Amino acid sequence: MKEIQFTDIDKIKVGHAQNVDAATGCTVILCEDGATGGVAVRGGAPGTRETDLLNPTEMIEKIHAVVLAGGSAFGLDASSGVMEYLENKNIGFDVGVAKVPIVCSAVLFDLVIGNSKIRPDKSMGYDACKFSETNTKDLNGNIGAGCGATIGKILGPKSSMKSGLGSYAIQIGDLKIGAIVAVNALGDVINPSTGEILAGALNYDTLEFLNTEKVLINEYQNKSNRFNCNTTIGLIATNAKLNKAEANKVASIAHNGFAKSIYPVHTMHDGDTIFTMCTNLVEADVSTVGMLASKVMENAIIRAVNTAETFNNTISRSDLLNKLNK
């Protein structure tokens, strides 16, 4: 097993666009030849587009793109730019009078950290697609859908830390599998091996972690609505040959990566969603692919917090460590 770039996965392209000053953006994962798609939604507050058609009972067999975006429900507009880009290339499901690109998407809430009036839109989605034409690198941190991502928001933005976009991919023989994820969780990001909090709800005066699980337990009598501006969204891409039912299963198993690295996860205030895109080139066992999907997702989440950069007064893990080591 060796680490590769996410962009090394056969027939997969990745593009990003963002407005750094407004702290929002979108990430587009494209498979112009069409990929078998799957999805698993586990959070209680999802914002999604075209997830129903990924049900194995539905007609559509292939998808052409997945969009991960900030901007809350407003950010779903970025998918329109991806539709236009693909239509201009004559890519889509043939309905006789047109080819309709099949574009799925999920959004996260990042309106608090930057300019709430600027969100991913049609032009930003199109720009992300154009960027994918020349992009050959895995870009992480404050980029694309991770531009305005934050974590540890149980007590609101004042105790949150900066997160971002993370990717991680591996190859075993001919099989390639990778995860890309924008980490914007209510909870804390944990080192799965040690249980150590890597980033999350923070006391900015003492620079000590508040521990979101302990906050919830200590305040269990508090019946008020928790800060609901969250959601971690991601995608598993693989060159494995899988059908729709198997692709959905892989997306479901990949949520184990969320559960191992984000505490708590899948709350009513998170819209946690994972897509799958399979380019169908290599025979593979679905259980093995699912296990690897969980592993690469776990590593992508950790990379998202390790590569994030401080934005305004919302500190990143790297800058927190610098302060603690002084």
Side-chain angles (χ1 to χ4, degrees), residues 14 38 64 86-87 89 106 153 182 228 287 304 309 318 326:
V14 179
H64 303 102
L86 291 169
E87 184 184 27
K89 299 187 74 173
K153 292 170 281 189
N228 56 3
S287 295
E309 299 175 7
S318 60
K326 284 184 177 179

Side-chain angles (χ1 to χ4, degrees), residues 214-245:
K214 288 184 178 179
V215 172
L216 284 170
I217 292 169
N218 292 337
E219 298 186 5
Y220 76 96
Q221 290 182 318
N222 183 355
K223 303 300 191 294
S224 63
N225 192 28
R226 296 290 178 176
F227 186 71
N228 56 3
C229 304
N230 312 292
T231 295
T232 298
I233 50 178
L235 175 138
I236 298 294
T238 178
N239 63 354
K241 187 180 295 185
L242 301 176
N243 60 35
K244 283 177 71 176

